Amino acid sequence: MSVNILFSARPALWPIYEPLLTSYLSEAGLDFRLGTEFAPDQVDYIVYAPNGGLLDFTPFTRLKAVLSLWAGVEKIAGNETLTVPLARMVDHGLTQGMTEWVVGHVLRYHLGMDRHITVQDGIWAPDPPPLAADRHVCVLGLGALGEAAARALSALNFDVTGWSRSPKDIPGVTCLHGEDGLRAALSQAEIVVLLLPDTPATTNMLNAETLAMLPQGACILNPGRGPLIDDDALLAALNSGQIGHATLDVFRVEPLPADHPYWAYPNVTVTPHIASETRPVTAAQVVCENIRRGEAGEPYLHLVNRELGY
Ligand code: NDP
């Protein structure tokens, strides 16, 4: 019997993924059918993104696994109609893109690029930046993306501290965890990078209390998810000077509404959720490897812990 694979994502992605998935699944020697429409009780795997609109998994009675094209699974992790394994996307291309975005924006802050490039005010006031070794950067979240970003920053000699739920050992990175670890990680951080998932435990991770733990004038980069930051607390901290600047790629409501205060703040940079995206060529390989594993009875890669929500 052939393996039936439903592609349920933004329709514009289908012509991109269809040839890639076909090629990799054929290489794996699978007898398969791939499409955007099947009778639900005939589907074995769903290649999934929330913007495909599928929310009720109840009719998929023969389903073996859902394979997310997105790294962030907050829109599906709590779906009670989903009772089979859920794998999230860990994609080399996505990771590389995020590393480049984080390093670029950290360097922007570190080198004071805005002062010297965007402000041509005729004032000759030399204020060279320190070397990276004297710049404290903190990465909250040391998963696929956070670890790669922390390693890249460390390779540039930044003084990098990382923080995660469980203990880690990453060469060149001071790894902390737990509540005391968070306080220690934030207390020195001149630049904070948020690469946590959006879960009940991470909501408002940066709030009035944790923002106050940072040195005055610290800069925030949020390529993680909007709910990681208490927006009112951040706006207050930007007003008081406790936070010097924030670069925000993700928001509670996207697109960011036209009347949102972030658009008007001179010390906020808004980027439109472009920090990184799933790259079809590499992501299709990950999806196909998981289908191959499912058919071979091997454990899936990148399984989501539904209780933790990531
Ligand atoms: P992972 O699941 O690999 O890593 C998550 C990290 O966060 C882990 O280190 C985990 O700790 C840590 N963490 C989770 N909960 C807590 C907690 N309560 N306290 C402390 N640490 C916690 O995710 P990725 O690195 O792949 O992705 C991170 C997020 O980036 C995604 O969830 C998504 O929201 C966002 N993203 C944004 C994109 C963009 O374009 N803006 C693109 C892609 C992803 P532990 O290691 O101990 O489990």
Side-chain angles (χ1 to χ4, degrees):
M1 204 177 2
S2 75
V3 181
N4 293 336
I5 303 157
L6 174 67
F7 186 84
S8 178
R10 199 156 48 88
L13 291 180
W14 172 239
I16 300 168
Y17 274 94
E18 196 265 342
L20 293 167
L21 293 169
T22 300
S23 160
Y24 298 141
L25 290 165
S26 304
E27 272 172 33
L30 288 174
D31 174 16
F32 67 93
R33 290 195 303 146
L34 178 65
T36 54
E37 280 181 24
F38 279 102
D41 63 355
Q42 296 300 303
V43 173
D44 295 292
Y45 297 92
I46 302 179
V47 180
Y48 183 81
N51 52 14
L54 174 55
L55 288 174
D56 182 8
F57 294 89
T58 318
F60 294 89
T61 48
R62 140 175 165 182
L63 192 61
K64 295 175 184 166
V66 170
L67 310 171
S68 171
L69 289 176
W70 290 11
V73 288
E74 68 279 359
K75 286 192 162 69
I76 184 180
N79 187 322
E80 288 178 359
T81 68
L82 179 61
T83 54
V84 298
L86 168 66
R88 61 184 208 93
M89 182 49 64
V90 175
D91 157 35
H92 169 71
L94 173 97
T95 304
Q96 179 61 26
M98 183 60 80
T99 299
E100 292 175 12
W101 190 92
V102 169
V103 168
H105 285 277
V106 166
L107 284 172
R108 173 190 174 198
Y109 285 140
H110 169 60
L111 297 176
M113 286 184 182
D114 288 11
R115 249 180 311 145
H116 300 297
I117 295 174
T118 61
V119 185
Q120 291 282 72
D121 53 10
I123 298 171
W124 185 273
D127 178 20
L131 288 176
D134 297 319
R135 183 75 75 190
H136 304 291
V137 183
C138 169
V139 181
L140 300 183
L142 291 173
L145 301 179
E147 175 174 347
R151 282 180 184 269
L153 292 167
S154 165
L156 287 172
N157 272 344
F158 283 103
D159 178 24
V160 185
T161 299
W163 183 74
S164 53
R165 195 178 51 80
S166 55
K168 302 266 178 231
D169 182 9
I170 304 171
V173 178
T174 303
C175 296
L176 302 173
H177 66 281
E179 243 175 70
D180 290 348
L182 180 62
R183 180 175 289 278
L186 293 182
S187 66
Q188 296 225 326
E190 294 163 271
I191 302 170
V192 181
V193 183
L194 286 165
L195 275 169
L196 294 161
D198 173 13
T199 72
T202 62
T203 304
N204 292 335
M205 183 61 76
L206 281 194
N207 52 39
E209 191 188 341
T210 49
L211 287 166
M213 293 175 187
L214 290 162
Q216 193 173 31
C219 296
I220 311 281
L221 295 177
N222 186 12
R225 282 292 184 262
L228 299 176
I229 296 181
D230 175 337
D231 294 315
D232 290 338
L234 177 57
L235 288 166
L238 287 160
N239 284 333
S240 73
Q242 169 61 14
I243 298 303
H245 199 283
T247 297
L248 309 173
D249 185 58
V250 285
F251 304 90
R252 280 187 158 78
V253 178
E254 294 181 9
L256 185 66
D259 59 354
H260 197 285
Y262 283 145
W263 286 115
Y265 264 62
N267 47 353
V268 170
T269 298
V270 170
T271 61
H273 201 144
I274 45 76
S276 191
E277 62 176 359
T278 304
R279 314 287 153 151
V281 171
T282 38
Q285 287 175 354
V286 177
V287 165
C288 293
E289 171 59 10
N290 258 342
I291 294 173
R292 187 201 66 73
R293 284 170 169 255
E295 292 308 294
E298 296 173 20
Y300 293 109
L301 298 172
H302 317 310
L303 278 182
V304 173
N305 179 327
R306 304 282 299 279
E307 267 173 41
L308 293 174
Y310 72 100

